[in-house]
Amino acid sequence: MTDTTALRILVTGATGYIGGRLVPKLLEAGHEVRVLVRSPQKLLDVPWAHDVEIVEGDLGDRASVAAASAGIDVFYYLVHSMGATGDFEQTERTAARNVAAAAAEAQVSRIVYLGGLHPDSPTLSPHLRSRAEVGRILLASGVPTVAFQAGVVIGSGSTSFEMIRHLTDVLPYMPAPRWVRNFIQPIAVRDVLYYLVAAAVLPAEVNRTFDIGGPDVLRYGQMMNGYAVEAGLHQRPIAPLPVLTPWLASQWVNLVTPIPRSLAVPIIASLQYDCVMHDHDIDAVIPPPEGGLTTYRRAVRLALGRMRDGDVETSWQNAATEGASSNPLPSDPDWAGHLVYTDIKEKSTSAKPADLWRVIESIGGENGWYSFPLAWAVRGWMDKVVGGVGLRRGRRHPDRLQTGDVLDFWRVERIDRGSFLRLRAEMRVPGRAWLEMRAEPTADGGSIYRQRAVFFPRGLGGRLYWFSILPFHGVIFSGMANRITAAAETETEAAAVDADADAVVAAAEAVAAEAARS
């Protein structure tokens, strides 16, 4: 635990919630960090991007894992398939075997894995069962491995925290399944990171699983009401209903929270069990952090503070969305020979380009979409009903975006700060869709706002979809262009008024100073 030797570390899952927070912690500890990601463009704007080596690859590809493992001391396995469909267990099994083999061949000194806290039961949910199997494969690799098993992680932007937050915020009365009476041992994200960083320097003889959890063991209903107290809300009456099956409960969570059905299903399935630590053996190898582990209520308080300050480092929102296109928009010449529909709007404005850009970059979330809010809300609910992400995922930061960020039911595909924003649709549509916004300067000091919606239809359904919503485009997209430029003009005018006021004050001060000298 006192070894301060700089290690060469490979982190997988660096675009995820835990991995994105772990990388800067490892850099602070003086380690050299390499990250293996499927989409390097997602890391373009993270503050530590230039401090790490970024390698493109996939855990399902043995060759890319082997190449990324070369020269590595410690391998962090932080990926998971929660939210995936199909044979995800086989996918995770293959990835774990690839990592085990590559780490052994590269003579990696240690593997660190983060799995899920679970009871000893032969009837685990498929996702918990898969997490446990990954741990067993890594422990049998011949490379010293620490397999942490954590329960509900509480932190700004975590899936579990957001589900608790939205259920409690939205519902004054909570009809709930029987699992609200199950016992859970939550852990603050800062404590998870503490254990992960400390694991890098454990001695080679440590090769086992460790349960990790916070100091509180609570029922799920107590966690909701603990959140209510910290958020300044009245405690919520909770009525367990035996007829509310896990499947029905996941549909309910999908509808009343931003958590999509693909994530709600595995989360609800894991809550069918008491998930508490079986032992505290971890204390013998990694002592608790100075000051002790974070209590549940304090973890909630810290998360709410981060949200108020707009300081959410990573979020569940930025995980890949099942079924959503991850392909970038082809360049315009590549459209030749393909059916594509576009809606283009352009508007000149007296607003300065910087003011126009500020409005563009702050769009969505609590700020809205500047046009026909009811139509946007209805489209979001329609998406939720069919299992999509809906409109309520919001945004990570109130006025600043980066590549890969979620923005309601869009994702930032490209951002040229100050001039260009491209969003890729992640709502359920029969095709692929993008929305672009530009701020271009003009010779007179004003700017031009350019907006383009692009849709590649899939089959007859895609064509019918485009023409069915065509009548709304004139209202929605024209309204966006008009209101975005109007908001930018208001900012420019306000800045001009402030500048005039400052000039008047400066002139008065100058006159007063001159009078004093006389």
Side-chain angles (χ1 to χ4, degrees):
M1 290 297 299
T2 58
D3 188 351
T4 57
T5 304
L7 300 170
R8 292 162 296 178
I9 293 177
L10 175 64
V11 177
T12 62
T15 59
Y17 179 74
I18 296 293
R21 297 189 182 211
L22 177 64
V23 169
K25 295 290 184 185
L26 294 172
L27 292 171
E28 288 173 14
H31 301 304
E32 298 177 23
V33 179
R34 177 186 299 166
V35 297
L36 176 65
V37 292
R38 285 180 294 180
S39 302
Q41 64 269 24
K42 289 186 177 181
L43 299 178
L44 286 176
D45 302 313
V46 298
W48 42 263
H50 298 294
D51 300 322
V52 303
E53 179 187 357
I54 300 175
V55 176
E56 184 174 0
D58 192 314
L59 293 186
D61 176 18
R62 174 74 178 276
S64 66
V65 179
S69 301
I72 290 299
D73 297 313
V74 182
F75 191 121
Y76 279 89
Y77 190 114
L78 302 176
V79 298
H80 63 78
S81 64
M82 190 168 73
T85 57
D87 192 359
F88 67 86
E89 291 186 83
Q90 180 57 47
T91 299
E92 288 207 327
R93 190 178 300 119
T94 298
R97 287 172 177 167
N98 287 344
V99 169
E105 290 171 5
Q107 298 184 321
V108 170
S109 301
R110 173 160 300 286
I111 297 172
V112 181
Y113 168 64
L114 181 62
L117 195 60
H118 60 272
D120 292 326
S121 170
T123 58
L124 292 176
S125 71
H127 284 83
L128 283 179
R129 184 174 65 230
S130 180
R131 297 280 74 204
E133 183 182 10
V134 168
R136 287 192 294 271
I137 292 171
L138 299 177
L139 286 164
S141 65
V143 177
T145 296
V146 168
F148 289 122
Q149 298 180 152
V152 171
V153 176
I154 302 298
S156 56
S158 77
T159 310
S160 298
F161 174 73
E162 288 299 304
M163 192 169 94
I164 292 168
R165 180 170 78 88
H166 284 278
L167 284 173
T168 311
D169 284 350
V170 171
L171 301 173
Y173 166 81
M174 179 66 180
R178 285 174 293 187
W179 49 255
V180 295
R181 292 178 173 170
N182 290 349
F183 287 103
I184 296 171
Q185 193 161 1
I187 183 170
V189 65
R190 58 173 49 202
D191 292 336
V192 174
L193 296 172
Y194 166 79
Y195 283 122
L196 288 171
V197 173
V201 295
L202 288 178
E205 61 267 22
V206 178
N207 185 70
R208 55 162 293 183
T209 61
F210 288 101
D211 291 352
I212 57 174
D216 301 313
V217 176
L218 305 166
R219 297 184 190 274
Y220 197 85
Q222 291 176 310
M223 292 173 62
M224 292 179 63
N225 278 319
Y227 167 84
V229 171
E230 293 299 330
L233 304 171
H234 295 296
Q235 295 199 31
R236 300 326 198 202
I238 298 174
L241 302 178
V243 296
L244 204 52
T245 65
W247 186 87
L248 287 174
S250 63
Q251 311 311 307
W252 175 243
V253 168
N254 171 63
L255 286 175
V256 301
T257 79
I259 309 298
R261 185 184 301 162
S262 59
L263 286 179
V265 169
I267 290 174
I268 297 301
S270 68
L271 294 175
Q272 306 306 306
Y273 316 95
D274 287 336
C275 289
V276 298
M277 296 174 66
H278 296 94
D279 57 61
H280 289 266
D281 293 355
I282 186 63
D283 294 344
V285 293
I286 303 178
E290 186 177 351
L293 293 164
T294 310
T295 64
Y296 171 71
R297 290 270 297 274
R298 182 165 183 261
V300 169
R301 199 177 311 134
L302 290 168
L304 290 171
R306 288 268 190 172
M307 292 171 58
R308 282 192 296 269
D309 296 340
D311 189 25
V312 180
E313 297 173 67
T314 59
S315 172
W316 70 272
Q317 303 161 329
N318 289 356
T321 300
E322 182 69 21
S325 171
S326 59
N327 296 324
L329 176 66
S331 61
D332 289 10
D334 293 339
W335 293 0
H338 295 274
L339 180 63
V340 60
Y341 299 122
T342 62
D343 185 287
I344 298 173
K345 298 290 184 287
E346 182 178 303
K347 189 171 177 63
S348 298
T349 173
S350 59
K352 293 182 178 180
D355 294 328
L356 178 57
W357 174 254
R358 273 193 293 273
V359 176
I360 291 172
E361 192 174 5
S362 64
I363 199 168
E366 295 296 324
N367 301 318
W369 290 86
Y370 292 92
S371 177
F372 208 169
L374 179 61
W376 285 95
V378 169
R379 184 63 182 87
W381 277 107
M382 290 172 60
D383 197 51
K384 272 288 189 181
V385 167
V386 297
V389 296
L391 190 66
R392 295 174 55 205
R393 288 190 298 179
R395 47 184 295 152
R396 181 185 56 84
H397 191 279
D399 52 31
R400 188 172 176 84
L401 296 171
Q402 64 185 38
T403 305
D405 269 1
V406 155
L407 186 56
D408 293 327
F409 47 39
W410 306 89
R411 187 178 297 272
V412 178
E413 181 173 284
R414 175 182 160 189
I415 181 169
D416 300 334
R417 185 153 283 106
S419 61
F420 178 72
L421 175 65
R422 176 185 292 153
L423 306 175
R424 184 178 69 244
E426 292 196 333
M427 75 284 279
R428 297 293 179 93
V429 291
R432 296 183 291 148
W434 290 264
L435 178 63
E436 296 177 339
M437 289 169 273
R438 296 177 184 268
E440 299 179 358
T442 56
D444 60 1
S447 53
I448 296 177
Y449 172 73
R450 302 186 193 277
Q451 176 181 292
R452 181 172 72 162
V454 180
F455 182 65
F456 283 72
R458 183 175 61 247
L460 177 60
R463 292 161 171 78
L464 294 176
Y465 170 81
W466 176 263
F467 288 109
S468 70
I469 63 173
L470 201 56
F472 298 100
H473 284 183
V475 176
I476 294 175
F477 289 141
S478 294
M480 282 182 65
N482 292 333
R483 290 179 175 84
I484 285 173
T485 52
E489 288 168 4
T490 299
E491 288 204 13
T492 296
E493 291 165 3
V497 170
D498 290 342
D500 290 343
D502 291 343
V504 170
V505 171
E509 290 175 346
V511 170
E514 182 64 28
R517 285 194 295 269
S518 302

